[in-house]
Amino acid sequence: MEHTRRRSASGRRRAHPADDAHLRLREQLVPQLALVAAVLALLGSALLDVDLPPVAGAALAGCLLLTTLQRSAAVRDGARAAAALRRSETVHRALAAAGSDVVLELDGDLRVTWVTPARPGLLGRPLTDCVPAEDAAALRTWLVDPLPVERRHTVRLLEDAGHPRELETTVSDLRADPAVRALVLQGRDVTARAEHERALTALAFTDPLTGLPNRAAHERALDRVLTDGAADRSVLLVEVHGLRAVHEDAGRYAVEAALVEVARRLRATVRGEDDVARVDAELFGVLASGTPAEVDRLAARCLAVLEAPIVTGAGIVDLGAVVGLAPVSAGLSTAQVHDRAELALADARATGSGAVSRHRPELSAVRDRRERLRADLVGARDRGELELAWLPVVDLAEHRVAGVEALMRWRHPDLGDVEPEEFLPVAARAGMAVDLQRWVLRDATSAAVRLPHAGPALRLGVNVSAAHLAAGTLVADVTRALADSGLPAGRLVVELAESALTGPRVHDDVSALRRMGVHVALDDLGRGATSLTGLGGLPVDVIKLDRSLLSRIDRDPYVRAVCAAVVALGETLRVEVVAEGVETSGQLAVLESLGCGFAQGFLLSRPLGLAGLVELLESDGGRLWPGLPGPVPGAGVRP
């Protein structure tokens, strides 16, 4: 029962507003009707000259009293409602004034008719006059032409001091409402947030060390140039050389001071409309305007100012630089322009410090060929495009083939024969070098076991890269290849470049190979800065003189002396010496006079296919000498 009463009370409290209005109307009409009835009764009694009975008089007096009470109650309720309305308005105005939101009412001419918090400078003025001139047209379009579809807009409202206050504004169109007839704008103050976002954007597009724009800002500026279609613009990439040496000699702070000075000099060298950015640790980008000749002169000026000595707190710093430049052409993307500039930079880097290179179509052609080789190298072995070639190693004392070096050859179906000097670096960058060398090791050992020989069994030389050593699988790969093929360990020569012998785990792997009986050769001696005094400490059994050294041995006394010293050192250390790249009779004669034990090169034999090698070994016991019948150039596998 109690629950029912609560429900009915709740139902009364939740009565529809229309029912309340009808109830109030009835409450007002009843006294009014009673009063009208009383008046009519009095008039009737007066006209008919009839005395009212006492009861009627009492009723008439009651009606008058009720009417008076009702009117006083109505006046009291009206005063109370007006006071509540004033309090509500005061509270809402106080809340609006205390908050950060701004509320404006605009008339049909977009004049501000009301604003809170109070802004004396806004009242009566068109809102379009209260924003920066460049924003006025967009604001008018948003508000008037046509009615705003996009309900949110950022309005930069000018304060008295002239500084814009950014408001994230929404609009309500109440012009059709007869009680309002205005556009009502409510704006949230986002000035602090916008300033914070601009500060973060500046950090995101600025190099913190030099204060120059960074790579992202440089690319954004290039995007704008490409979008606008500006003519006679070029990208210069300036690569600074020598900073690593500065770091080793003077430390990080000297490098930072040098970079700051480099940035200052570049900024002072270019024209005012040109953009300078630091796009990498040692790389600066310039978005320059001008004809090709003007851009070339600008590149030369950049090199000149960077080659001048730089004074830092740690002393004087000498730097060098190279420049690669590419024109900004219509139809290219930002990535394509930068790609061309980087190709030109690589070409300048190959030329040497102080070089300037402009992008040429052939640079892109070389890059495209390299990328195609990288893609086509995947699966080339399974397609049968890779094969082994065999370069004989001749014993100069016995005039007989004493060994062979296994080389890779790639017969590309479209590009023809691709030299190892071209595709092996591509394989190394693609991470495929170790797999290819593992394949060479396996197939070469299997083939070498079956090679005929009249004298001592032939040795097999296989090149191994530093990447194979760094992979940590060389010993296991050699062990597996020897076990699968049955080739004795003493017949295998693993050829390593000097740079590969300096890794952290190289000593252990090389020692393990030598304990197995495998010979280790130092390959390409003379190509780099090799110290003869350090040869005695290297764990090698064979030294191979590089072809760059042999090319001058018959006409350069210094080179001849170096070769003689290596041959003598080999005799002392009981290390065999092999001369690579013998191509003339004069070179061969000098090597014989020095007592060099072994040689290989085109003069003696070009690389052969397996069938050609077998034919050579079966012919006269493998004897091979210039001028005597031997393999026909081009037979087997061409070099």
Side-chain angles (χ1 to χ4, degrees):
M1 190 67 179
E2 181 65 27
H3 177 66
T4 303
R5 283 197 296 271
R6 284 199 300 267
R7 287 181 56 189
S8 66
S10 175
R12 287 195 298 270
R13 286 195 298 269
R14 297 176 185 173
H16 194 276
D19 296 337
D20 292 341
H22 292 150
L23 181 60
R24 288 194 300 272
L25 182 60
R26 285 197 300 269
E27 291 174 350
Q28 294 174 2
L29 285 177
V30 169
Q32 299 294 333
L33 292 174
L35 180 61
V36 170
V39 172
L40 291 176
L42 288 173
L43 291 174
S45 62
L47 292 175
L48 298 175
D49 194 18
V50 177
D51 292 334
L52 288 174
V55 175
L60 180 58
C63 289
L64 291 174
L65 178 61
L66 288 175
T67 302
T68 303
L69 291 176
Q70 188 272 335
R71 293 305 302 165
S72 63
V75 171
R76 186 172 60 253
D77 290 343
R80 188 180 296 115
L85 181 61
R86 286 193 297 271
R87 284 197 303 272
S88 177
E89 184 178 356
T90 302
V91 170
H92 282 83
R93 286 182 180 275
L95 290 175
S100 61
D101 288 4
V102 176
V103 181
L104 303 98
E105 288 186 5
L106 309 180
D107 62 13
D109 296 327
L110 302 183
R111 294 183 182 275
V112 180
T113 59
W114 183 79
V115 60
T116 182
R119 296 289 192 276
L122 298 181
L123 285 174
R125 297 176 58 195
L127 184 61
T128 51
D129 293 347
C130 304
V131 299
E134 60 271 20
D135 297 353
L139 178 61
R140 179 177 294 276
T141 301
W142 181 65
L143 292 173
V144 176
D145 190 22
L147 287 176
V149 176
E150 224 179 285
R151 312 302 292 181
R152 193 174 297 273
H153 189 77
T154 299
V155 177
R156 295 194 300 163
L157 201 61
L158 292 176
E159 299 286 1
D160 294 337
H163 300 296
R165 183 183 183 190
E166 297 195 29
L167 304 175
E168 192 177 72
T169 308
T170 57
V171 63
S172 299
D173 188 0
L174 302 179
R175 288 175 289 189
D177 189 335
V180 182
R181 297 190 182 280
L183 285 173
V184 179
L185 276 68
Q186 182 177 6
R188 181 174 298 277
D189 192 340
V190 294
T191 305
R193 187 185 74 185
E195 291 176 351
H196 184 61
E197 290 175 351
R198 283 191 290 269
L200 291 177
T201 301
L203 288 176
F205 290 97
T206 303
D207 176 57
L209 177 62
T210 62
L212 293 176
N214 60 13
R215 187 182 191 94
H218 178 67
E219 292 178 350
R220 187 171 62 171
L222 182 55
D223 280 337
R224 288 196 297 267
V225 170
L226 290 169
T227 302
D228 297 341
D232 291 334
R233 302 298 293 270
S234 298
V235 170
L236 287 76
L237 293 181
V238 183
E239 186 177 73
V240 182
H241 294 169
L243 290 173
R244 184 169 301 179
V246 174
H247 185 275
E248 293 174 355
D249 296 340
R252 177 170 61 90
Y253 294 110
V255 172
E256 292 178 352
L259 285 170
V260 170
E261 177 61 17
V262 167
R264 188 197 66 78
R265 292 184 181 184
L266 288 176
R267 183 65 268 176
T269 301
V270 304
R271 289 175 289 192
E273 65 269 20
D274 297 339
D275 296 324
V276 180
R278 186 185 180 201
V279 299
D280 208 342
E282 301 176 355
L283 188 64
F284 292 82
V286 179
L287 184 55
S289 58
T291 64
E294 292 172 337
V295 173
D296 288 340
R297 289 194 293 271
L298 174 61
R301 291 199 304 272
C302 290
L303 288 177
V305 299
L306 295 186
E307 289 173 351
I310 297 175
V311 179
T312 68
I316 297 178
V317 172
D318 290 318
L319 300 176
V322 293
V323 178
L325 59 91
V328 179
S329 303
L332 295 179
S333 66
T334 298
Q336 289 172 325
V337 174
H338 260 284
D339 180 66
R340 292 185 173 190
E342 288 171 357
L343 288 173
L345 181 65
D347 184 60
R349 191 186 302 122
T351 303
S353 184
V356 177
S357 177
R358 178 179 288 274
H359 176 264
R360 308 182 302 277
E362 52 265 33
L363 295 179
S364 295
V366 171
R367 193 277 315 278
D368 293 342
R369 176 181 171 93
R370 186 168 58 245
E371 292 299 322
R372 179 176 181 183
L373 291 178
R374 177 172 179 166
D376 293 349
L377 192 55
V378 178
R381 188 184 64 190
D382 297 334
R383 295 191 298 269
E385 298 172 9
L386 294 178
E387 57 187 31
L388 292 178
W390 308 84
L391 183 63
V393 178
V394 177
D395 184 332
L396 296 183
E398 297 185 4
H399 303 173
R400 188 187 305 274
V401 176
V404 289
E405 180 179 355
L407 305 173
M408 270 188 287
R409 287 292 185 267
W410 184 8
R411 291 187 179 275
H412 194 282
D414 299 325
L415 304 178
D417 291 345
V418 183
E419 294 296 323
E421 291 80 4
E422 183 179 8
F423 73 81
L424 287 180
V426 174
R429 286 191 294 270
M432 294 185 284
V434 176
D435 288 338
L436 291 178
Q437 290 170 7
R438 193 177 289 126
W439 165 74
V440 171
L441 188 62
R442 185 182 65 248
D443 282 24
T445 52
S446 298
V449 172
R450 301 188 297 271
L451 290 177
H453 55 89
L458 301 179
R459 286 185 181 177
L460 169 66
V462 176
N463 289 283
V464 172
S465 67
H468 202 163
L469 273 170
T473 64
L474 179 59
V475 175
D477 294 339
V478 170
T479 302
R480 187 179 302 111
L482 293 178
D484 293 345
S485 65
L487 184 74
R491 292 181 57 187
L492 179 62
V493 181
V494 173
E495 302 182 6
L496 300 169
E498 184 181 9
S499 59
L501 292 171
T502 58
R505 57 179 299 164
V506 169
H507 184 271
D508 294 339
D509 288 351
V510 171
S511 298
L513 291 175
R514 298 183 76 192
R515 285 195 298 270
M516 292 167 53
V518 175
H519 299 280
V520 177
L522 173 63
D523 199 12
D524 300 331
L525 178 68
R527 177 176 295 182
T530 306
S531 171
L532 293 180
T533 58
L535 288 178
L538 295 177
V540 297
D541 308 293
V542 181
I543 296 175
K544 303 190 74 172
L545 295 171
D546 188 67
R547 65 179 66 247
S548 61
L549 208 60
L550 268 293
S551 63
R552 306 189 305 275
I553 192 173
D554 55 342
R555 58 182 185 275
D556 190 330
Y558 175 78
V559 172
R560 184 182 307 172
V562 171
C563 294
V566 173
V567 171
L569 184 61
E571 292 178 356
T572 302
L573 300 176
R574 296 184 179 180
V575 173
E576 296 175 352
V577 177
V578 180
E580 296 181 298
V582 180
E583 298 181 352
T584 67
S585 300
Q587 295 169 356
L588 182 61
V590 173
L591 289 171
E592 284 193 291
S593 67
L594 296 178
C596 183
F598 302 89
Q600 61 185 120
F602 288 176
L603 177 69
L604 304 173
S605 175
R606 291 177 177 271
L608 305 170
L610 185 59
L613 177 62
V614 171
E615 180 183 354
L616 171 65
L617 295 176
E618 291 177 345
S619 171
D620 196 19
R623 290 186 178 275
L624 186 63
W625 201 249
L628 296 179
V632 178
V637 178
R638 292 177 296 182

